[in-house]
Amino acid sequence: QVQLVESGGGLVQAGGSLRLSCVASGSTFGINAMGWYRQVLGLQRELVAFISDRSRNYADAVKGRFTISREKVKNTVYLQMNALKPEDTAVYFCNVEARWNNANYNYWGQGTQVTVSS
C-alpha cells in the first residue's frame, strides 16, 4: 500500500554531513508519522529520529547533530546529518506509521548505507 524510496546515503569522512530523503508513494493518506531507524549488521535496529504532527523524537546519540523534517504535501521525510561520527555508520531505514480503516500499519524502506570513515 505504501512504498518508500530512500536516497542520500554514501561514504563521508568524520565531521562531514549527509542528507537522507525518503519519499512515500501509494496510499499515503493515512500516514501519521515518518522517521528513521538504523541498523548495524548483527545488531538490533534502533530509532534515530521520528516526526509527527505533534512531536519530534531523537535518539540521544544524535541529538544536536541530526535534524528530522517533513514535507507532508510531498510525502517526504528528511534527515539532515551533521558532524557525522564513525559510530553513525549503519544502514538507515525509513519508517512510516499509517492508519486506515481503523487499523494500524507500519512500512519500511529498503535501507540506504551510510559509512563514516575516520
Side-chain angles (χ1 to χ4, degrees):
Q1 295 295 319
V2 174
Q3 294 181 331
L4 305 175
V5 178
E6 299 147 312
S7 61
L11 175 64
V12 66
Q13 291 185 337
S17 298
L18 288 172
R19 182 182 175 93
L20 305 184
S21 299
C22 174
V23 181
S25 62
S27 300
T28 60
F29 180 78
I31 294 176
N32 294 321
M34 302 180 72
W36 296 91
Y37 289 71
R38 66 187 182 187
Q39 185 173 26
V40 177
L41 185 64
L43 301 180
Q44 289 190 338
R45 193 170 298 183
E46 64 179 2
L47 172 71
V48 177
F50 224 76
I51 186 169
S52 68
D53 289 339
R54 298 169 298 280
S55 64
R56 291 169 293 171
N57 188 33
Y58 294 94
D60 288 342
V62 307
K63 286 180 179 177
R65 299 188 297 119
F66 292 9
T67 302
I68 190 168
S69 60
R70 181 185 180 189
E71 295 187 51
K72 294 181 67 175
V73 296
K74 297 176 65 176
N75 297 306
T76 301
V77 65
Y78 305 93
L79 186 68
Q80 179 66 47
M81 305 186 294
N82 298 324
L84 283 162
K85 304 175 180 180
E87 50 263 46
D88 295 317
T89 296
V91 178
Y92 285 70
F93 295 90
C94 182
N95 175 260
V96 163
E97 295 180 351
R99 185 172 179 86
W100 303 311
N101 299 319
N102 204 36
N104 296 317
Y105 299 87
N106 192 280
Y107 298 92
W108 295 92
Q110 78 284 356
T112 184
Q113 177 70 47
V114 172
T115 302
V116 184
S117 64
S118 60

